């Protein structure tokens, strides 16, 4: 879940004031969503939204857009903490609406522009292989070819494979190297 952050210049009251028109005109802010936001604010933070106020904002006699407008105005008057909790409730109840808010889009763009300016150059040592899959497949097929020639050579061992196998035994432990080299010499 993304962490709610406040921009350098705006507090949550100002953000809510900026987002109010978008929220009131958004079709996704339907009756059910507004009711769930009111209930969450009422149940979790009764100091922000009392039972009486929650009933007022949940009244079905008033159109949803008007109830939402009144709720946003009420939260704006309550202060920054109430606005923050509204944003938090909106983030929990409807992430798609939350991330499409104008202030969130602006905040993402500012973060993207800051990160574009502070892009660190990745050193070359972190690139494992820039040659691509064809290079890997060709190296792998050469290794498989040598293995097939060695194991299925019908009595004729290639001298180049024996030298290759002797060299590759250098990196093995003492016991494994003895077994490996003796296996190569028995196959001669």
């Amino acid at each position: 879940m993304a962490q709610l952050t406040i921009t350098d210049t705006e507090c949550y009251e100002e953000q809510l004031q900026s987002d109010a028109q978008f929220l009131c005109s958004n079709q996704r802010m339907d009756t059910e969503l507004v009711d769930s936001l009111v209930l969450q604010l009422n149940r979790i933070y009764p100091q922000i939204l009392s039972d009486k106020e929650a009933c007022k904002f949940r009244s079905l006699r008033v159109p949803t857009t008007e109830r939402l407008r009144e709720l946003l105005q009420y939260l704006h008057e309550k202060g920054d903490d109430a606005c923050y909790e509204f944003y938090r409730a909106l983030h929990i109840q409807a992430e798609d609406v939350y991330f499409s808010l104008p202030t969130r889009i602006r905040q993402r763009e500012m973060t993207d522009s800051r990160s574009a300016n502070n892009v660190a150059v990745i050193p070359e040592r972190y690139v494992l292989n820039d040659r691509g899959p064809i290079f890997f497949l060709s190296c792998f097929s050469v290794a498989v070819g040598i293995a097939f020639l060695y194991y299925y050579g019908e009595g004729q061992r290639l001298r180049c494979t024996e030298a290759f196998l002797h060299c590759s035994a250098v990196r093995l432990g003492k016991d494994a190297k003895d077994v490996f080299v003796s296996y190569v010499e028995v196959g001669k």
Side-chain angles (χ1 to χ4, degrees):
M1 191 159 103
Q3 182 74 5
L4 297 175
T5 57
I6 191 164
T7 62
D8 297 336
T9 58
E10 286 184 306
C11 63
Y12 287 106
E13 289 178 75
E14 293 169 352
Q15 290 180 21
L16 190 62
Q17 196 169 13
S18 300
D19 291 333
Q21 183 178 2
F22 173 81
L23 288 167
C24 291
S25 65
N26 194 326
Q27 297 296 321
R28 294 176 284 188
M29 294 296 289
D30 58 357
T31 303
E32 186 178 328
L33 180 57
V34 172
D35 286 347
S36 64
L37 290 170
V38 169
L39 284 174
Q40 183 170 348
L41 289 171
N42 174 246
R43 289 182 183 156
I44 297 177
Y45 302 101
Q47 69 273 19
I48 292 175
L49 201 60
S50 67
D51 289 336
K52 181 181 176 185
E53 293 158 340
C55 289
K56 173 185 157 188
F57 293 124
R58 292 189 69 214
S59 174
L60 295 176
R61 286 182 262 150
V62 181
T64 305
T65 55
E66 191 170 324
R67 288 188 292 141
L68 181 59
R69 189 175 300 115
E70 289 174 5
L71 174 66
L72 296 176
Q73 183 62 34
Y74 174 80
L75 293 172
H76 181 71
E77 292 169 2
K78 276 292 229 185
D80 204 46
D81 290 337
C83 297
Y84 170 78
E85 294 307 330
F86 172 78
Y87 277 118
R88 197 164 152 249
L90 184 63
H91 188 242
I92 291 169
Q93 299 291 332
E95 279 189 6
D96 57 332
V97 175
Y98 175 79
F99 286 116
S100 62
L101 291 171
T103 55
R104 299 294 156 230
I105 293 171
R106 194 171 355 140
Q107 196 173 36
R108 268 192 310 249
E109 289 171 354
M110 285 178 23
T111 304
D112 290 344
S113 67
R114 286 181 191 160
S115 65
N117 293 336
N118 298 331
V119 173
V121 177
I122 299 173
E124 188 67 29
R125 63 188 168 126
Y126 292 119
V127 177
L128 296 176
N129 186 356
D130 60 347
R131 294 189 178 116
I134 302 295
F135 178 77
F136 169 76
L137 289 174
S138 63
C139 290
F140 184 72
S141 62
V142 167
V144 169
I146 290 173
F148 273 126
L149 286 174
Y150 181 77
Y151 289 110
Y152 299 111
E154 293 186 25
Q156 295 179 347
R157 306 276 183 199
L158 294 175
R159 291 183 186 164
C160 65
T161 59
E162 291 174 1
F164 173 73
L165 290 174
H166 277 290
C167 290
S168 63
V170 170
R171 292 194 174 184
L172 299 175
K174 182 180 183 251
D175 296 330
K177 183 168 51 172
D178 291 340
V179 171
F180 191 61
V181 170
S182 67
Y183 178 74
V184 170
E185 290 174 352
V186 169
K188 284 186 180 180

